[in-house]
Amino acid sequence: MRRADRLFLIIHALRGRRTALPARRLAETLGVSLRTVYRDVVDLQTSGVPIEGEAGVGYVLRKGADIPPLMFTADELESLVVGTRFVRAFAGARLAKGAQAALLKIEAVLPAELKQRSERSRIFAPTWRERMQRASVIDRLHEAVVEHRVLRLDYADGAGRASEREIEPLCLAFWGGAWTLGAWCRLRRDFRSFRPDRMAVFETTGEVFVETPERGLEAYLRAASANPEMRD
């Protein structure tokens, strides 16, 4: 478990309690040592979280000084909910899972009226089977972007002309109806934006590339800004 998640869960476990929560129970719940719990509590207290208590006795949030709920307005919260739904519908499975987990953490500390508002949003992004299948493609491309892996692909341009490409993937962008993969194309010796749905086949070559100022993300974004139709 990440330390940030552990600290969040400690605060959540203490919220609303009238009696002290023993450190041993926290340690058992979190699957860590007592020493780790003691250190985490001290760090939270140092950062301003109003936790009272001591080792061997237990901990509570100071009476009348409960952690205020996340200060989202109703509109801000609905934006998060809708954003999560869109990520789930259109992004890869990994990002969708992360977005859903983040929203659950947020809702865990919301006051009741805002939590109910988040459940009533009428803006949806249905997840169809076709999109679920496409999600695995986005996951694989996202992984190649993050790990700087050279890709080899069989690609058809807008006119249906087929070609074999070797590219250095730099970013993914969603345009409301389609994804594009921004990359340096070794065939064209220039930046290009490729549509995943036009990739008949793609695979990693085993080569890892190194971004340079001339062929990196910032240079791609400048080129794309100057020429939005930079597609192949």
Side-chain angles (χ1 to χ4, degrees), residues 125-138:
T127 304
W128 297 326
R129 177 169 297 181
E130 178 186 354
R131 290 176 180 170
M132 293 174 65
Q133 294 171 344
R134 193 185 308 162
S136 64
V137 173
I138 300 302

Side-chain angles (χ1 to χ4, degrees), residues 6 28 47 71 84 91 120 129 134 140 157 172 200 219:
R6 197 169 66 241
E28 291 172 353
S47 66
M71 301 307 293
T84 298
R120 292 198 303 265
R129 177 169 297 181
R134 193 185 308 162
R140 291 171 57 201
D157 63 16
L172 282 160

Side-chain angles (χ1 to χ4, degrees), residues 8-149:
F8 170 85
L9 290 174
I10 289 174
I11 295 174
H12 185 53
L14 297 178
R15 177 183 293 280
R17 289 187 61 89
R18 296 183 178 181
T19 59
L21 180 62
R24 185 173 300 279
R25 191 185 304 175
L26 275 173
E28 291 172 353
T29 300
L30 299 173
V32 297
S33 66
L34 273 173
R35 182 178 179 182
T36 297
V37 170
Y38 296 149
R39 184 174 62 246
D40 287 347
V41 169
V42 170
D43 289 344
L44 287 169
Q45 290 170 327
T46 302
S47 66
V49 178
I51 297 175
E52 294 182 341
E54 59 185 64
V57 177
Y59 301 101
V60 294
L61 285 173
R62 186 182 308 137
K63 186 176 181 180
D66 191 13
I67 301 296
L70 292 176
M71 301 307 293
F72 291 118
T73 66
D75 287 342
E76 290 170 344
L77 179 60
E78 188 166 18
S79 295
L80 290 173
V81 172
V82 173
T84 298
R85 291 175 179 174
F86 271 79
V87 170
R88 182 168 177 259
F90 297 106
R94 186 176 71 173
L95 288 181
K97 183 178 179 181
Q100 186 64 30
L103 186 61
L104 288 174
K105 291 179 182 178
I106 291 170
E107 289 183 335
V109 293
L110 286 174
E113 64 273 14
L114 281 183
K115 187 173 183 180
Q116 290 172 2
R117 171 67 183 265
S118 75
E119 296 169 349
R120 292 198 303 265
S121 176
R122 295 193 178 189
I123 300 178
F124 300 98
T127 304
W128 297 326
R129 177 169 297 181
E130 178 186 354
R131 290 176 180 170
M132 293 174 65
Q133 294 171 344
R134 193 185 308 162
S136 64
V137 173
I138 300 302
D139 275 340
R140 291 171 57 201
L141 293 175
H142 185 201
E143 183 178 8
V145 170
V146 172
E147 297 182 355
H148 292 82
R149 296 190 177 277

